[in-house]
Amino acid sequence: MKKLLRPLRNAIVLGTLTRAVSAFAAIVPTEWRHRQEINVSTPGVIRVELPDATFDAARPDLADLRLLDPDGREIALLVDTPSTPPAHTTRPASFEARLENGNTVLLLGTGTENIGLAAITLETPHPHFLRAAKIEISSDRDSWTSVDEGVPLFRQWGAERLAITLNHRPAAWIRITVQGVTVPFTGASLHFAAAEPVSALPVGARITGRQEFAGETVLTVTLDGKHAPLTALELDTPEPLFMRRVTVAVRDVRDLVPGERIVGSGTLYRVALDGAKPRAQLELNFSHQPLSRELLVHIHNGDSPPLAVNGLRVKREPAGLRFLAPSAGSYTLLAGNPQAKAPRYDLAALVGDLQAATATIVAPGPLQDTTNYQPRASLAEPPLPDVPLTGAPLDPDGWTRRKPVQLAAAGVQELELDAATLAGARHDFADLRLVRAENQIPYLLERTKLARSLTLAPETAPDTRRPSVSTWRLKLPHAGLPLLRLALTSDTPLFQRQFRLYEKVTAGDGRSYEHTLASGEWSRTPEAGSPRTRVFELSNRLQTDTLFLETDNGDNPPVELAGVKAEHAVVRLVFKTAETDGYELLYGNDHTAAPRYDLSLVAPQLLTADRHSARLGAEEAAPAGFARGALRHLKGGYLFWGALSLVVVVLLVVVARLLPKAEASK
């Protein structure tokens, strides 16, 4: 009976829709930048699967999409996106933890047995563990059904997995047996979902850059298009065993300050426990609609070597359009009109019918540019100002250091400041000036949360007056380097010491004193998992190029240092160029104010553009400052003072000739 009523229902809907279409105001197709052909062979309900190119061409909200019938008239359409399954998180009705045969057994009462349980997240204060778990469910607490075994649970080096997936199984009772040495679990959260999520679709993406930082790898991922609703990212790695915390970020600007915004985070791993089959979680779920074609994937390695990555896959929600085609023929989908207002179709009474009706799935043709594209000038939004390429002239007098800037290609550039520049510039970087042909090049200062590491060689510096104190001297490559932290590594199996990090500074009156940079306790035990590394955060900027580290051993044997690493922040300049030569970076001026460029008005466009990597050349120093033009090579040298003396002599001669001569004595 339903099959007989369906054609009648579609016919009624089609008739209603046809009458609604006649009320549309005519649109001008040339006001849309792009178009795609949709070939309909049979009248009826049509679903168009939107490809990445359509998302990239349309506005983020798809409000500019319009559909034309074979006669060029606009017809109503419905953006068809999967509804998010209703979900909620709650605490279990009961939670019990007990020991059985050296294992931890957790018994959870869900309080219901009719709703699908998506996952359980356990809670524990234990900082470092790796265990396997067995999962069982029951409806009466007497008869148990095994769901899974060898499920890895861990918290190590910033990576964490405390969630157990149940694949939407209903269960009144859940029993979790955690094997091995006791781990104190204190509670849990239950995640319910009424239905499984809709299968995702692949998105064109590729890794276009990889950079290694201190304990962190950053992958630059370029998407084939923007605006598609992303749902997951999957890494392809050959590593047999690993655990990594991974975050997905996009470049962002807040209060004119460039930075990054995290849009997804989680733990990826591949482990094998207690002879069980290897387990892997290589997919990171997140929800984000990118406004650019770039994603930044941070892989947090900690003290482990960088993770090998062969590639990755990005996924998105399936999305499409539905409409009722009154006849067969070639329909046209228009996209790319930032001036268009969202349509208001009279579809309120037809949405349910359109979504429930059986639809013919059609793929649109390739995206094409509209011939004679012409936006409405009367309603056109003023274009965004182009990125300025040059700023005001600059007199280099007062700047004491400079480096050439090497560019590979014109366009938007990303210049990372090296350690020497960080040490030579002011702490607020207000003295940085990018110049070409004595004109300033506007830039944006990008302070990242990334860090570069330097390996330091500790040298023992014993103090005969204090034989129980161990002292090490640490030499830095540059004086005044703005360090963030110092990481110490030791293989000494058992110790507990108070450490102090300081530098010896000479005051203005010539007296020397010890400037403490960090201090704190460091302890280590022979237990498995006891960290070999202690990190000391530094809050003050260094003034010298030598650090001293000391600890009092008391009556204990001295602590042996296996390694020392120092970390400094990654700071970048982002700017745009039309040429590739003649650029210089000036710094080392304690008396100048920070520059103010109009470039900040277009910061989002500049920071989200594709970038080229620029590099700094060798440093040139001029303690008295650089002079402009021809005096640049004279200032501070003998030629300069000789020329100045000659000018003074010439002026004296001229003045002497102009003075009236004294009358001869009679």
Side-chain angles (χ1 to χ4, degrees):
M1 184 64 179
K2 291 183 179 180
K3 292 183 179 180
L4 295 175
L5 292 177
R6 184 173 298 165
L8 178 61
R9 181 179 59 185
N10 286 352
I12 295 174
V13 173
L14 180 58
T16 305
L17 184 59
T18 302
R19 290 191 296 272
V21 169
S22 61
F24 292 167
I27 65 173
V28 181
T30 54
E31 294 177 359
W32 274 258
R33 186 184 297 272
H34 306 287
R35 59 176 55 212
Q36 291 172 277
E37 298 303 318
I38 302 173
N39 294 318
V40 175
S41 58
T42 304
V45 180
I46 305 297
R47 175 180 166 84
V48 180
E49 299 289 354
L50 295 180
D52 296 347
T54 305
F55 283 103
D56 187 60
R59 283 165 33 184
D61 58 0
L62 304 180
D64 59 331
L65 294 182
R66 296 294 187 274
L67 188 63
L68 305 180
D69 66 11
D71 296 326
R73 296 173 300 184
E74 182 184 0
I75 63 174
L77 57 84
L78 173 69
V79 177
D80 188 15
T81 57
S83 58
T84 303
H88 69 280
T89 299
T90 186
R91 309 293 290 186
S94 63
F95 180 87
E96 301 177 20
R98 63 178 184 269
L99 294 179
E100 290 185 4
N101 302 322
N103 300 325
T104 301
V105 179
L106 308 177
L107 186 63
L108 290 76
T110 65
T112 180
E113 57 180 337
N114 299 320
I115 302 178
L117 189 59
I120 303 171
T121 300
L122 300 178
E123 300 169 2
T124 176
H126 203 290
H128 195 275
F129 66 93
L130 174 62
R131 301 288 185 272
K134 178 181 179 181
I135 316 301
E136 299 170 286
I137 60 175
S138 174
S139 60
D140 54 10
R141 199 173 175 175
D142 293 327
S143 177
W144 293 92
T145 301
S146 178
V147 174
D148 204 351
E149 293 187 33
V151 177
L153 300 174
F154 57 82
R155 179 183 282 154
Q156 292 187 353
W157 308 298
E160 178 180 281
R161 186 184 192 270
L162 295 174
I164 300 172
T165 302
L166 288 180
N167 296 323
H168 307 277
R169 288 184 176 89
W173 296 93
I174 301 171
R175 185 166 64 188
I176 304 172
T177 303
V178 183
Q179 302 172 1
V181 181
T182 304
V183 175
F185 291 98
T186 57
S189 298
L190 305 179
H191 309 282
F192 291 95
E196 296 187 19
V198 180
S199 299
L201 299 176
V203 172
R206 62 192 184 281
I207 298 175
T208 55
R210 174 170 180 153
Q211 289 185 293
E212 302 297 339
F213 299 94
E216 190 171 348
T217 299
V218 179
L219 304 177
T220 301
V221 179
T222 300
L223 306 170
D224 286 352
K226 53 186 181 294
H227 301 159
L230 305 182
T231 60
L233 181 145
E234 182 181 3
L235 286 184
D236 178 8
T237 173
E239 298 284 357
L241 297 173
F242 72 93
M243 302 174 188
R244 294 292 190 278
R245 183 169 62 90
V246 177
T247 57
V248 181
V250 294
R251 301 189 193 275
D252 195 13
V253 179
R254 295 184 180 181
D255 299 327
L256 301 181
V257 177
E260 292 183 8
R261 177 166 54 91
I262 295 177
V263 298
S265 63
T267 296
L268 304 184
Y269 63 88
R270 183 180 283 132
V271 298
L273 300 176
D274 300 332
K277 63 179 181 180
R279 298 297 186 103
Q281 174 63 42
L282 303 179
E283 184 172 284
L284 175 65
N285 295 317
F286 65 99
S287 179
H288 175 62
Q289 187 177 27
L291 300 181
S292 71
R293 298 188 183 187
E294 181 184 77
L295 296 177
L296 300 175
V297 180
H298 295 253
I299 304 175
H300 304 272
N301 301 305
D303 294 329
S304 301
L307 188 71
V309 177
N310 293 336
L312 54 77
R313 289 171 288 277
V314 180
K315 301 178 182 179
R316 67 168 174 88
E317 291 181 356
L321 303 176
R322 281 182 182 255
F323 66 96
L324 283 169
S327 62
S330 179
Y331 291 73
T332 303
L333 179 64
L334 304 178
N337 186 345
Q339 308 161 17
K341 296 181 179 180
R344 300 175 60 185
Y345 299 128
D346 190 14
L347 289 176
L350 307 177
V351 170
D353 294 287
L354 279 174
Q355 291 179 335
T358 301
T360 302
I361 299 178
V362 177
L367 192 74
Q368 298 178 344
D369 294 334
T370 298
T371 305
N372 300 325
Y373 166 68
Q374 182 64 48
R376 262 183 291 176
S378 59
L379 297 179
E381 298 177 357
L384 289 171
D386 193 12
V387 176
L389 298 180
T390 58
L394 178 72
D395 184 354
D397 189 16
W399 274 265
T400 60
R401 305 180 186 212
R402 69 183 178 194
K403 289 185 176 182
V405 179
Q406 302 167 357
L407 307 180
V412 178
Q413 311 291 335
E414 174 184 281
L415 175 64
E416 180 179 338
L417 304 183
D418 56 20
T421 306
L422 292 174
R426 281 168 40 179
H427 71 280
D428 58 356
F429 303 111
D431 57 335
L432 295 178
R433 295 296 188 276
L434 193 64
V435 298
R436 185 178 188 271
E438 300 185 349
N439 285 321
Q440 298 185 59
I441 305 300
Y443 66 84
L444 291 175
L445 184 68
E446 185 178 37
R447 297 174 182 258
T448 73
K449 296 182 179 180
L450 302 170
R452 295 284 187 188
S453 64
L454 303 171
T455 300
L456 306 181
E459 302 175 0
T460 56
D463 187 348
T464 56
R465 296 172 300 176
R466 300 183 298 167
S468 65
V469 176
S470 293
T471 304
W472 296 270
R473 182 187 296 108
L474 305 171
K475 191 72 173 179
L476 297 171
H478 309 283
L481 187 62
L483 296 183
L484 296 175
R485 59 190 67 92
L486 199 73
L488 309 177
T489 302
S490 175
D491 291 328
T492 302
L494 179 65
F495 66 87
Q496 184 177 14
R497 301 285 193 279
Q498 190 74 19
F499 283 77
R500 183 170 75 99
L501 182 69
Y502 62 93
E503 62 178 338
K504 297 179 180 180
V505 180
T506 302
D509 57 2
R511 293 183 301 173
S512 178
Y513 66 95
E514 295 180 353
H515 177 215
T516 300
L517 300 168
S519 63
E521 185 180 274
W522 183 13
S523 61
R524 187 163 187 255
T525 64
E527 295 180 1
S530 180
R532 299 173 57 243
T533 301
R534 172 68 159 87
V535 177
F536 290 89
E537 301 287 339
L538 280 63
S539 57
N540 297 324
R541 178 162 178 159
L542 277 65
Q543 302 178 45
T544 67
D545 63 353
T546 305
L547 299 177
F548 293 90
L549 177 70
E550 70 174 26
T551 184
D552 193 337
N553 301 302
D555 296 325
N556 302 293
V559 175
E560 299 292 336
L561 287 183
V564 178
K565 286 188 176 182
E567 296 182 5
H568 64 79
V570 172
V571 180
R572 301 170 178 144
L573 303 186
V574 182
F575 56 98
K576 185 178 179 181
T577 65
E579 294 82 15
T580 58
D581 57 352
Y583 294 89
E584 292 180 327
L585 179 66
L586 302 180
Y587 57 102
N589 188 335
D590 294 332
H591 307 291
T592 186
R596 294 184 299 172
Y597 300 127
D598 293 335
L599 193 66
S600 60
L601 299 175
V602 290
Q605 293 88 335
L606 184 64
L607 291 172
T608 56
D610 294 336
R611 305 182 186 182
H612 302 288
S613 294
R615 296 183 180 276
L616 289 170
E619 181 182 79
E620 179 184 354
F626 297 98
R628 185 194 294 272
L631 293 179
R632 176 178 298 173
H633 305 289
L634 300 178
K635 187 174 181 180
Y638 296 107
L639 291 177
F640 172 78
W641 294 110
L644 184 60
S645 300
L646 180 61
V647 171
V648 172
V649 171
V650 171
L651 289 176
L652 290 176
V653 172
V654 173
V655 172
R657 289 183 176 181
L658 293 177
L659 291 176
K661 297 181 179 180
E663 296 182 2
S665 56
K666 297 180 179 178

